Amino acid sequence: MFDRQKKGERAVLVLPHSRGEGDTVRRAEEFTELVRSAGAEVLGSVAARVEDPNPRFYIGTGKADEVAEMVQALDADLVLVDHTLSPVQERNLEKHLKTRVVDRAGLILDIFAQRARSHEGKLEVELAQLKHVATRLVRGWTHLDAQRGGAIGNRGPGETQLETDRRLLAERVKMLTKRLEKVQVQRGQQRRARLRNTVPRVALVGYTNAGKSTLFNALTTGDVFAANLLFATLDPTVRRLDDLSCGPAVIADTVGFIRDLPHDLVAAFRATLAEARDADLLLHVSDAADEEREYLRKVVDGVLEEIDAGDVPQLRVMNKIDLAGAEPRIDRDDEGRPVAVWLSAATGQGLDLLRQALGELLGGERVRSELRLPLTAGRLHARLKAAGAIASENVDEDGWHLHIDAPRSVIAPLSGGSPAEAELLRGVLGDRRDEA
């Protein structure tokens, strides 16, 4: 039996494809980038046409022999397959190739294990890994903790001996699920607080490596990790976005999407994806220099549908115009509403146009009015202030004298509080001295 403990970073790639699959070269390049993002050295690759998957190896026996010869010739210690394998296929390939085999889902899980930084993100990764491992348990493997760290496919939980693994995994999954539920309740409370504050919510979505985190940092002067790597950002990061004509908003950076993203990962990363589902507006970031950008847009839209975010309004952001040779501009629909902004997050070109478009889409008509609040209306005063609706104010023994300047969409929800608060705001909302 080959040694599963061997550190595996020298990889041979297996690239299955079928007739009518699309751009196989682009897919192969993307998988290679995934492998490099995981930290492996690519020694070689074998393309395999698969129309009717082999139940034993997924690829044909002839291709399996070809891979085995390459593994031996190049002294590789890891084979990575660009497809999801059944547990039986994975084990059969390992026995035939006499080296470790990791499929596409296992590779993406490994990258997630390296990149997760928040407590919640680490819990979600481990839970997804345990569920993946639970289907791949075989007799004679070492204990759960023996495989922690190290090579691709082995980061995270690893495997247990067959006699105890199911009980240990079930207990760990149960414990992680409870801890995640507690963390998610806390996140839900934070999101509800933002809803109460009526601050518009924006979420960045897009195919991985489209430049979302670079754009996030450019808009917020944030410090989110941004690099030319697939899945550079995993954990949701939320910042306040100022300098918009509609008043302040909050913006969230989310995990990048990818074709054939394993469904277990979509289900596991509820936290970062919830920011997209609960947003008022999605900024769908695309690489303007990418010839496949329309196909990749459909991939992202498919994942958004899967997480019930397909109906959230979108503004396309065509990023990297410095590489595409395009000029900054706003594209509008027949009614004059912004539908796309062309910019470069790296150089700053067009960022002012994006802020303009955000102000238009999030703001609507503005309310400008004077408002007197008694000192007993401290709760309403706090909500108006949190919403960024107060342009200036004075306070005396009778209460606050406020100058309100904010979008009607920000003010109107505040009138849904107590009857007394609704009465105080009625005069403000009835004053339509709006922006021309």
Side-chain angles (χ1 to χ4, degrees):
M1 187 68 177
F2 65 89
D3 182 7
R4 292 187 60 87
Q5 297 272 359
K6 188 176 181 181
K7 178 177 172 63
E9 305 293 342
R10 291 166 50 83
V12 167
L13 311 187
V14 178
L15 308 171
H17 62 90
S18 59
R19 185 188 297 112
E21 192 173 86
D23 189 347
T24 57
V25 174
R26 168 64 181 263
R27 181 178 178 117
E29 291 174 349
E30 183 178 278
F31 188 66
T32 301
E33 286 303 312
L34 275 175
V35 174
R36 289 173 178 156
S37 293
E41 177 187 358
V42 178
L43 302 181
S45 63
V46 175
R49 182 165 174 172
V50 179
E51 300 298 341
D52 297 311
N54 185 317
R56 185 182 178 198
F57 294 138
Y58 182 76
I59 59 176
T61 55
K63 283 294 180 181
D65 291 339
E66 183 181 340
V67 175
E69 292 173 2
M70 181 176 288
V71 167
Q72 185 174 8
L74 298 177
D75 190 28
D77 44 29
L78 173 66
V79 172
L80 293 162
V81 182
D82 188 18
H83 198 277
T84 300
L85 300 175
S86 71
V88 172
Q89 290 167 341
E90 188 172 301
R91 290 198 294 270
N92 287 340
L93 277 172
E94 287 188 326
K95 292 176 183 178
H96 187 76
L97 304 177
K98 295 182 174 56
T99 191
R100 289 189 307 109
V101 173
V102 177
D103 68 358
R104 182 180 179 88
L107 174 64
I108 294 176
L109 278 168
D110 183 89
I111 296 172
F112 276 38
Q114 296 180 59
R115 303 281 168 75
R117 293 292 179 266
S118 71
H119 175 61
E120 183 178 16
K122 291 177 181 178
L123 290 177
E124 288 175 323
V125 169
E126 184 175 358
L127 183 59
Q129 284 185 308
L130 287 171
K131 290 179 178 179
H132 184 73
V133 164
T135 64
R136 287 160 165 76
L137 300 173
V138 294
R139 188 177 301 276
W141 287 10
T142 52
H143 190 270
L144 177 69
D145 290 332
Q147 296 258 352
R148 285 189 179 276
I152 292 173
N154 285 340
R155 295 184 180 92
E159 297 86 5
T160 66
Q161 293 180 341
L162 190 62
E163 291 77 10
T164 58
D165 54 11
R166 291 189 179 92
R167 175 179 56 82
L168 292 174
L169 285 175
E171 290 175 356
R172 182 68 175 168
V173 166
K174 184 177 180 180
M175 184 271 289
L176 287 174
T177 300
K178 288 183 178 179
R179 289 170 64 181
L180 267 174
E181 288 174 350
K182 182 177 179 181
V183 173
Q184 287 159 4
V185 166
Q186 294 172 345
R187 274 205 178 272
Q189 291 171 343
Q190 293 171 358
R191 283 195 293 272
R192 285 193 294 273
R194 293 204 299 270
L195 285 170
R196 285 196 300 270
N197 288 338
T198 70
V199 178
R201 304 174 309 285
V202 179
L204 287 165
V205 298
Y207 205 78
T208 189
N209 218 20
K212 295 185 295 78
S213 295
T214 302
L215 178 60
F216 182 88
N217 289 336
L219 286 172
T220 66
T221 62
D223 55 356
V224 172
F225 176 65
N228 188 28
L229 293 171
L230 300 185
F231 298 123
T233 302
L234 290 183
D235 298 307
T237 304
V238 180
R239 295 284 187 272
R240 184 181 175 96
L241 185 59
D242 292 307
D243 301 326
L244 301 180
S245 63
C246 64
V250 292
I251 186 169
D253 192 17
T254 66
V255 64
F257 299 157
I258 194 170
R259 72 187 89 199
D260 299 333
L261 186 66
H263 292 287
D264 286 344
L265 288 181
V266 175
F269 273 75
R270 292 185 296 268
T272 186
L273 297 177
E275 297 293 345
R277 187 174 59 247
D278 296 339
D280 298 304
L281 179 67
L282 299 179
L283 295 187
H284 187 153
V285 184
S286 297
D287 181 349
D290 194 329
E291 294 179 355
E292 271 200 306
R293 62 175 184 257
E294 287 306 311
Y295 169 75
L296 301 182
R297 177 184 63 82
K298 294 178 181 178
V299 171
V300 174
D301 285 341
V303 178
L304 291 173
E305 289 286 350
E306 191 173 345
I307 64 170
D308 299 325
D311 294 332
V312 179
Q314 291 189 19
L315 174 65
R316 290 289 303 279
V317 177
M318 308 304 293
N319 190 25
K320 305 185 184 181
I321 60 170
D322 51 319
L323 302 179
E327 294 296 322
R329 70 174 190 266
I330 297 179
D331 293 341
R332 299 178 180 273
D333 62 16
D334 293 339
E335 298 180 4
R337 290 173 300 196
V339 294
V341 178
W342 294 69
L343 56 77
S344 170
T347 67
Q349 292 176 282
L351 288 178
D352 56 335
L353 297 179
L354 178 58
R355 290 190 175 92
Q356 176 186 333
L358 285 172
E360 292 180 37
L361 292 173
L362 296 175
E365 60 177 346
R366 298 189 70 84
V367 171
R368 290 191 176 95
S369 181
E370 304 298 318
L371 176 63
R372 292 286 299 187
L373 291 182
L375 293 175
T376 55
R379 179 173 176 272
L380 178 57
H381 174 265
R383 295 178 70 193
L384 287 166
K385 191 168 186 176
I390 300 176
S392 62
E393 64 176 304
N394 294 305
V395 62
D396 55 32
E397 64 273 10
D398 296 322
W400 292 278
H401 181 199
L402 308 178
H403 175 65
I404 302 297
D405 185 355
R408 186 172 298 275
S409 59
V410 169
I411 302 294
L414 299 178
S415 64
S418 68
E421 292 175 344
E423 181 64 29
L424 286 168
L425 289 178
R426 186 168 295 132
V428 172
L429 291 171
D431 187 343
R432 293 186 174 269
R433 290 175 292 168
D434 298 332
E435 195 174 54

